[in-house]
Each structure stands twice: as C-alpha cells, then as structure tokens.
Amino acid sequence: MEKGYGASVSGYRSLKKKKKNQDSYLIKYYRSHLIAVVCDGLGSKKHSKRASKKACFVVYKLIKIALDKRHLDTERLIDSIKKRWMKSIKPYTPKTSDTTCSFVINNNKNILLAQLGDGMIVISINDKLYMKQEPIKDFTNMTQSLGKSNNKDWQISVIDKLESEHFKIMICTDGVSEDLYEDKIEDFVNALSKLIISKKKNNNRNIKSILKEWPNKHNLDDKTIVMVK
Amino acid sequence: MDINNFVKTEAKSLPIFLLLDTSGSMSGEKIASLNSAVLDMINDFKNERLTEVSLLVSIITFGGVANLHTELSPIKNFVFNPLSAGGMTPLGSALKICQTIIDDKEKVSSKGYKPVVILVSDGMPNDEWRTPLDNFINGKRSSKCERWALGIGADADFNMLELFLNDKEKRVFAANEVLEIAKFFKIVTMSTIARSKSINPNVSLDFNVLEEKFKEDKPSFKF
C-alpha cells in the first residue's frame, strides 16, 4: 500500500505576527489503512492552531473507531467530527478557533476523499491527473469551516482502485493550491513525487524545502502538503 | 525540481469599482471635486506598498448613457482620464455593466478578494434601475462585494443609496459641500488600504472607526 509524507511551514504572515503555523496535518496507519488529515486554521481567529490540531486528532480517532467496527457511515462520521471537535477546542468556541478540514482514507481497494473548505485534494493515476477536488467559491478567503458547517458543505467521494494502477494523492492547504497554475497541477504532483524516494528518511524534509522556497512572496499563508504514493 | 515552473508569483487581486454619476446636475464644482477626489484615491493607492494584494480599478459612469469609462486595470498602470458631466442618470444600465464584469470569473477571479463597489450620485436615477439594483444586491457574487455609497447634495436619492448598501450597519455618506466628496474618498481609500494590509483582506472595517481615524490623520500643529 502507498505511504504518506508531509510538511508544513509558516507563511510570512504568521512569522510577521509571531504566530504559530495555523495549519496542521496528520498521517497515520491503522488496520491496513492510511489516514491523512490536513486542516487549515482560520488566520483571522486567535486560537485557530488549536482548532486545526484538534480537528486532525478527532478525525483520526473517529476513523479508527469506524475501522474497528468495519462500518463507515460518512454522514455519521462527519456529524460526529463536528460534535467531537466542538468539545475538543474548549474553552474556546468557533468564534475564536476555527478550521477547514480535508482527509483521505486509503487502502488497497479504494480511497475516500472528504473536504470541507479551502484547499485541494488531487488524485493522479499512472502519472495522469485523474481528479481534482476543491471548493467552488466566489472569492478567496471566504471558506467553509468546521465551526460554521453543515453536513451538506462537505465534498465526499470514493474512488475504486485497480491493482495495476499507481495512485498518488496530494492534499494541500490553499496557501499552496491557490498559487498553482491550473494546467501545471499534474506536473507538480509528478515532480513532487520524484522527490520522495522510498525508504529514505529525508522525504518529509524534501517537501519542506519546496514549501520554504515557495516563490510567491506575496502569498503570506501557511502552507502544507501531504503526499501519498 | 524547479518550483518556479508551477507556481504563480503575483499577489491576489482586490478589484475596486467606481460607479460615478456624471449626469448634467454634476457639472461645475461637483464634477471638478469628484475628479480631484478620484485622482487622489488613485495616487494614494499607487503610493502604498501593498505586499499581499494587487489593487485593480474600474470606472463606470452614468451620465446620458452608462459607460465603461475605464476597464478593470492594475493600479500601477492606471491612467485616470477626467470625467465630464452631461445628460440624464441611467443608474440601472451602469449597475448591469458592473454586475456583468463581477460575474465574469476571467475578469474578477475567484482567487482574488471580494471587490469594493463605490456608488456616487447627486440625483434620482431615471432609467429602469429597480430590477438591476435588486439583481445586484442579491446576485451570487455581487451580493458579497463591499459596498459604499455617497449622496451629493440634498437632491440625491438617499433611499436608493440605502437600498444599494442593503446593510443596516452601514450608512450612506452625505456630502452637503463639495469638500466632503474628498473626505468620503479618503475614508474609502483608508478602508481599502487597511483591508489590504489586514490578516483577512475580506473583512470590512467599521465605518465609525475609520471616520475617527480620518480626523486623527489630519495634520495638527503642536505648540
């Protein structure tokens, strides 16, 4: 099965304001499944690092429970994510602590993609862009978030896998996705994938160096990429 | 891996639309003052060092006919051609032009910040303006724009301007003297620059705070 790699760096805005990187990500393996979560804490709210970090843990815990039961009801899962997350951010509330949330559950048979709010999930099969999931929105920074969301705000899809196909999955926050040229996404995923050489320890560091060298100096957002290959 | 091949390097856009009444009643001192205020706004925007945001400006006039006076253009290349006044007040047609541009994602990108729309008028519109105004304030994208309104003189249609704002927390700015046109534009300029420098450039700033700040910004002589 594929493995997950990731990195996250503070944007210039966080550095300037001496704030923590508001993005969080988590990659875990459980019962032959890979679970990857990427959350982008809303920069306009003071305690959003807590929001994004807690969301990653809550999503992972609830998926573990579903995998133990061998039963995954996506409606109930996202409903529980919001409820558990609201409790987990206490003493804060979504007024001061909020986040987007994207996650992937991957095994040998299929991939489940779930996304709430900004950012992007890309699936590539045999080096060709197969699917790009991102929110349809009117203007930037007007994102859906866990604190304001309803179940219908999530985009959820499942992709079946064939043994002969090579899958790559990239999940990133909008600090990355909003800067990528539309017609270069496939090339970007392939180029990024080449930096990840199995069994080498510096895979995450290679992703981090790309984020640190990010050429758009006008983009002040924190940046996170998780790559599954 | 050369990251430069995949990543755009420009700042996100923040479009500003000026919907300006250039009907016959604006002639004389009013249009001169409006020209000077718009020019000051453009120059102030040019002089600001904005890192995250790229300001774009468009001017739509309504005097005699509604006209796209200046296409949406980056502030650094913006050339302001002074306005002249004449004719009736076809606001409805001007709103339609503005909404068409805002709805066009090629021109107003969904990866840019929500636009600012500034409406200035000194009289009653006299084309079919109610439906275009209703469409504008309820449109999928145009409803999300930050809107400002200035009524010049006692003959301005303040009810229409309030409908345009469609926000109980906002108020129509009234210019009883031509000097107040400049003040209004200064406040909108300050608001837009403050938005451009803020953590989230989509969040509008409180009008009363800005007005207070405007007073503080006036040069004061210290003894």
Side-chain angles (χ1 to χ4, degrees):
Chain A
M1 196 182 61
E2 295 83 0
K3 285 199 179 310
Y5 311 89
S8 184
V9 299
S10 293
Y12 298 104
R13 187 189 290 124
S14 296
L15 293 172
K16 209 164 68 178
K17 305 244 171 203
K18 294 183 179 163
K19 279 171 82 174
K20 286 180 187 167
N21 178 353
Q22 308 281 301
D23 290 356
S24 298
Y25 75 95
L26 172 150
I27 301 164
K28 295 274 187 190
Y29 302 89
Y30 189 71
R31 290 184 180 267
S32 305
H33 288 72
L34 179 152
I35 299 145
V37 193
V38 172
C39 296
D40 176 354
L42 304 195
S44 53
K45 304 194 176 196
K46 202 176 169 187
H47 303 290
S48 288
K49 178 65 191 179
R50 184 178 175 86
S52 64
K53 204 171 173 181
K54 290 287 181 186
C56 285
F57 285 120
V58 165
V59 170
Y60 173 56
K61 272 187 185 173
L62 291 168
I63 293 172
K64 263 175 77 178
I65 294 169
L67 295 180
D68 284 339
K69 290 182 182 166
R70 297 184 65 80
H71 178 72
L72 183 72
D73 176 339
T74 51
E75 278 287 309
R76 281 187 64 182
L77 176 67
I78 56 178
D79 204 35
S80 307
I81 288 172
K82 181 166 180 180
K83 284 178 186 156
R84 286 276 195 104
W85 171 81
M86 294 279 262
K87 281 184 190 168
S88 74
I89 60 167
K90 281 180 181 175
Y92 307 118
T93 67
K95 272 194 171 178
T96 56
S97 177
D98 209 348
T99 183
T100 69
C101 184
S102 298
F103 65 87
V104 163
I105 310 172
N106 178 52
N107 64 17
N108 286 330
K109 292 178 186 161
N110 53 192
I111 311 165
L112 182 140
L113 319 175
Q115 184 173 19
L116 174 75
D118 283 354
M120 184 164 72
I121 306 179
V122 178
I123 304 279
S124 142
I125 303 177
N126 297 338
D127 296 337
K128 295 280 171 210
L129 178 72
Y130 174 73
M131 181 184 165
K132 176 172 70 92
Q133 185 167 290
E134 60 181 339
I136 300 162
K137 56 185 185 175
D138 290 312
F139 303 110
T140 190
N141 275 29
M142 299 181 99
T143 184
Q144 290 286 354
S145 58
L146 269 178
K148 291 181 287 186
S149 66
N150 296 309
N151 285 10
K152 64 174 173 50
D153 297 325
W154 286 80
Q155 291 184 74
I156 295 179
S157 34
V158 175
I159 294 156
D160 289 330
K161 291 165 85 173
L162 293 177
E163 255 183 54
S164 56
E165 294 172 330
H166 294 287
F167 281 80
K168 290 188 203 97
I169 308 165
M170 182 183 77
I171 317 171
C172 59
T173 52
D174 66 342
V176 172
S177 62
E178 291 202 345
D179 272 351
L180 294 176
Y181 289 112
E182 281 293 313
D183 58 347
K184 299 278 184 185
I185 292 171
E186 179 182 292
D187 295 341
F188 179 72
V189 172
N190 288 333
L192 196 66
S193 166
K194 282 186 187 147
L195 294 177
I196 297 165
I197 305 147
S198 293
K199 291 174 187 169
K200 292 268 171 115
K201 284 182 182 173
N202 53 1
N203 289 323
N204 291 347
R205 210 188 311 152
N206 289 346
I207 298 178
K208 194 164 204 162
S209 68
I210 289 294
L211 294 176
K212 280 190 168 172
E213 289 163 16
W214 203 254
N216 188 356
K217 302 301 174 201
H218 301 289
N219 177 343
L220 310 185
D221 282 343
D222 302 328
K223 294 170 192 65
T224 300
I225 294 178
V226 164
M227 183 83 189
V228 176
K229 68 168 268 190
Chain B
M1 173 179 181
D2 185 0
I3 186 75
N4 292 293
N5 294 335
F6 312 105
V7 175
K8 296 173 210 163
T9 51
E10 68 264 31
K12 290 178 189 173
S13 59
L14 196 167
I16 301 154
F17 291 91
L18 303 178
L19 267 81
L20 306 177
D21 184 341
T22 52
S23 60
S25 57
M26 283 289 291
S27 39
E29 243 188 335
K30 287 185 199 168
I31 200 77
S33 181
L34 184 60
N35 276 325
S36 151
V38 172
L39 187 60
D40 282 349
M41 177 187 238
I42 302 295
N43 288 336
D44 284 348
F45 286 153
K46 281 185 179 175
N47 292 337
E48 270 306 316
R49 286 186 302 155
L50 300 173
T51 50
E52 194 186 0
V53 165
S54 161
L55 298 177
L56 309 174
V57 178
S58 171
I59 299 178
I60 298 161
T61 55
F62 49 104
V65 290
N67 176 38
L68 178 57
H69 175 273
T70 314
E71 292 264 10
L72 192 62
S73 339
I75 195 70
K76 62 179 178 184
N77 310 325
F78 197 91
V79 179
F80 175 58
N81 296 314
L83 315 167
S84 52
M88 307 293 267
T89 314
L91 171 70
S93 305
L95 285 168
K96 280 186 203 165
I97 293 173
C98 188
Q99 182 155 22
T100 305
I101 301 170
I102 290 169
D103 286 344
D104 184 345
K105 289 193 176 179
E106 295 286 315
K107 289 182 177 158
V108 177
S109 168
S110 55
K111 291 186 174 169
Y113 295 104
K114 67 176 183 182
V116 180
V117 185
I118 303 155
L119 174 59
V120 175
S121 178
D122 76 333
M124 302 269 186
N126 45 23
D127 62 349
E128 205 316 273
W129 58 272
R130 287 180 193 276
T131 309
L133 180 63
D134 198 48
N135 291 341
F136 195 92
I137 59 178
N138 294 306
K140 188 171 178 295
R141 300 191 92 205
S142 51
S143 63
K144 297 184 175 88
C145 297
E146 181 185 0
R147 296 192 289 271
W148 294 83
L150 170 70
I152 303 173
D155 294 334
D157 186 346
F158 285 93
N159 289 333
M160 175 277 290
L161 293 168
E162 262 168 38
L163 281 175
F164 170 77
L165 287 184
N166 193 33
D167 183 347
K168 282 179 185 162
E169 287 179 15
K170 282 195 151 187
R171 65 180 169 89
V172 174
F173 196 94
N176 297 316
E177 299 166 30
V178 284
L179 274 178
E180 286 173 320
I181 297 174
K183 181 181 170 186
F184 169 78
F185 274 89
K186 198 79 193 167
I187 289 173
V188 178
T189 305
M190 282 166 56
S191 161
T192 309
I193 290 169
R195 252 185 77 187
S196 303
K197 290 178 173 177
S198 70
I199 287 176
N200 182 357
N202 270 341
V203 175
S204 309
L205 303 167
D206 184 81
F207 187 90
N208 295 322
V209 173
L210 285 165
E211 210 171 11
E212 280 307 307
K213 182 139 177 46
F214 175 77
K215 285 176 196 161
E216 287 167 17
D217 272 11
K218 284 185 179 173
S220 63
F221 181 75
K222 293 181 188 74
F223 292 93

